[in-house]
Amino acid sequence: MDQGDAAVWAAGIGVIGTTIGAIGGYLAGRAQGKATVDGVRLQLSGQREDAVWQAELDAFAALIEQFSEARMRVATVVTQFETSRRVVRRLEPYGVGTREEGYLALMECVRVLVARENALALRTAPAYAAAARAVRVQLMDVLEALQAYCVAREHDRRARDLREQFDEQMAAWQEALNGFVEEAQARFSRPRPGV
């Protein structure tokens, strides 16, 4: 092989080496790009799971807070109906409303509670949504017993039996609510699934 052929041969090997290097660089870049895209997808998936978990936790917290508000509103209504109208009027400057205002505030609280229950149902598993609904249904039983008791008190009827029925409903609801809260605490005290 003469010197000209050797130069052509060397140039050809150089071109082949450069081509192989370029192909190798292309493949390495492509693999790196795929790894980067896969990493971003994994990160976005994790962020989405975190956001969903946080939304569920927030929905539980909002509903439990509203259940607590309802409990306080029920107690306020009972107190207002067990206290004479005259005494309730004397307490108005201190933020104690009338019987009617107390009852309306309770109904507004329940309206918000139902909205929060619906929000929870959109963010959690059907079993948890059903548990929340069961606690709310028991609250409705409490409100029914409360209404009967308040009507009897308003009309100066003997309301002892109605108060006992109300107390029984209230105790059952309180027990159900405590169970719901404990279940939520157990669920959210553990690390998020998939972590």
Side-chain angles (χ1 to χ4, degrees), residues 108-153:
E108 175 61 18
C109 177
V110 171
R111 186 194 65 75
V112 172
L113 190 145
V114 170
R116 290 188 176 175
E117 176 195 339
N118 291 335
L120 175 70
L122 293 173
R123 291 174 172 85
T124 194
Y128 294 116
R133 185 172 35 261
V135 175
R136 195 249 318 138
V137 166
Q138 280 194 288
L139 172 60
M140 297 316 222
D141 293 341
V142 167
L143 297 180
E144 188 177 317
L146 174 64
Q147 183 179 25
Y149 173 64
C150 290
V151 167
R153 291 286 303 182

Side-chain angles (χ1 to χ4, degrees), residues 153-195:
R153 291 286 303 182
E154 182 69 18
H155 297 294
D156 294 323
R157 293 188 203 137
R158 295 174 58 84
R160 185 178 196 207
D161 291 342
L162 294 172
R163 175 60 195 240
E164 287 176 7
Q165 290 172 7
F166 164 75
D167 288 341
E168 288 171 7
Q169 291 290 340
M170 189 69 176
W173 177 62
Q174 185 64 51
E175 187 176 333
L177 179 56
N178 289 343
F180 180 74
V181 170
E182 287 170 10
E183 189 174 322
Q185 287 171 329
R187 176 169 169 69
F188 293 105
S189 66
R190 295 187 301 269
R192 176 179 60 80
V195 176

Side-chain angles (χ1 to χ4, degrees), residues 3 17 28 34 45 51 58 82 87 90 100 104 107 121 131 149 153 159 169 179 183 185:
Q3 207 171 7
K34 182 178 179 335
S45 174
D58 291 346
E82 289 182 346
V87 170
R90 286 197 338 227
E100 293 77 14
L104 287 174
M107 291 302 102
Y149 173 64
R153 291 286 303 182
Q169 291 290 340
E183 189 174 322
Q185 287 171 329

Side-chain angles (χ1 to χ4, degrees), residues 59-80:
F60 266 94
L63 181 62
I64 290 169
E65 178 184 349
Q66 200 64 29
F67 275 132
S68 295
E69 177 75 17
R71 182 176 35 203
M72 290 177 15
R73 295 283 178 190
V74 166
T76 298
V77 168
V78 168
T79 301
Q80 288 170 324

